[in-house]
Amino acid sequence: HLPGHSHSDTLSVLLWIGRQPVVTDTGTYGYVSETDREYARGVRGHNTVQVGELEPISLGCKYLMGPRPVPTTRVVDGPITTCEGRYEAHPYRGPSYDHHRVVYAGNRWWLLRDRIAGCEGKPARSRLHLHPAVDPSIEKDGRVVLSLPEQDVFVYPLESNHVGLSSGKYFPRFGVEKCRPVIEFHAEENRTEPLSLGCLISTRDVEHASFEADEGDGTTRLRVGEEEYTLPDTALEPSGDFA
């Protein structure tokens, strides 16, 4: 809670496969007030969701000011491990919104799903900042292939999400800046709330991966190639009438 050290990284995720960092933090270039300082601390530089151009925590020069999101988290171990969190954000110049994130971890796959309520028609996107050693490419079917030194990793966007690649900054240590690729997911413009974003990350190369949530009985299913999984229940998801 020190304004000079806070980052807008609530519910941000990191991923290693073996000894290889795949999805990484941005790091810190320095502590003086400049563009790189704001990027390293802002939501755009973290592996979480951004609503419009809003900052969940307001930036005041080189400090983060105002109310900070206080997340509620829950972890359930099992054959499929579930880790979920939820917080309410109250940006200084924009609508308040509710962000729920759940990560399911199975055998050689990870499902990342976000739901955002209350964003009042503003676009939302989820970002995964890759380590500079990871080389991504988008194939015709929309999946992203991550070429690593020792193996490939496959990212399947879910729920009719659009996927794109952009570039970002990576600061492995003070005063050192590198360029690195960023995967961005965003939803269809004509959408209902809560807005859903998601992707499957797998070390298995399969032709098709799909995610299906039955709002009637609460059952959530994931299909990875020819295998189908019934996912554990979640407990922190927002309702559609968040205000």
Side-chain angles (χ1 to χ4, degrees), residues 74 84 86 100 233-237:
R74 172 178 175 263
E84 64 174 324
R86 176 186 175 185
H100 171 261
D233 293 336
T234 56
L236 305 176
E237 292 197 52

Side-chain angles (χ1 to χ4, degrees), residues 91-151:
Y92 177 61
R93 296 185 182 277
S96 299
Y97 61 89
D98 188 310
H99 175 203
H100 171 261
R101 165 164 281 185
V102 58
V103 180
Y104 300 98
N107 181 21
R108 299 174 60 191
W109 58 262
W110 303 267
L111 175 65
L112 174 66
R113 189 190 186 210
D114 295 292
R115 301 189 80 200
I116 306 97
C119 51
E120 296 185 358
K122 289 184 177 293
R125 61 188 60 227
S126 173
R127 297 184 177 93
L128 296 177
H129 295 76
L130 304 177
H131 187 272
V134 179
D135 182 21
S137 61
I138 300 179
E139 300 195 338
K140 291 182 179 180
D141 58 4
R143 73 173 180 172
V144 185
V145 179
L146 309 181
S147 296
L148 278 64
E150 296 185 359
Q151 65 178 320

Side-chain angles (χ1 to χ4, degrees), residues 196-207:
S196 291
L197 296 169
C199 70
L200 175 78
I201 303 174
S202 176
T203 58
R204 296 167 51 195
D205 183 4
V206 298
E207 292 186 1

Side-chain angles (χ1 to χ4, degrees), residues 7 16 21 24-31 36 39-40 45 129-133 168-180:
H7 286 224
W16 287 260
T24 71
D25 194 17
T26 294
T28 299
Y29 182 84
Y31 282 102
D36 285 342
Y39 177 83
H129 295 76
L130 304 177
H131 187 272
K169 299 177 180 180
Y170 179 56
F171 310 122
R173 57 186 180 273
F174 276 4
V176 177
E177 176 181 325
K178 295 184 178 181
C179 184
R180 47 100 161 260

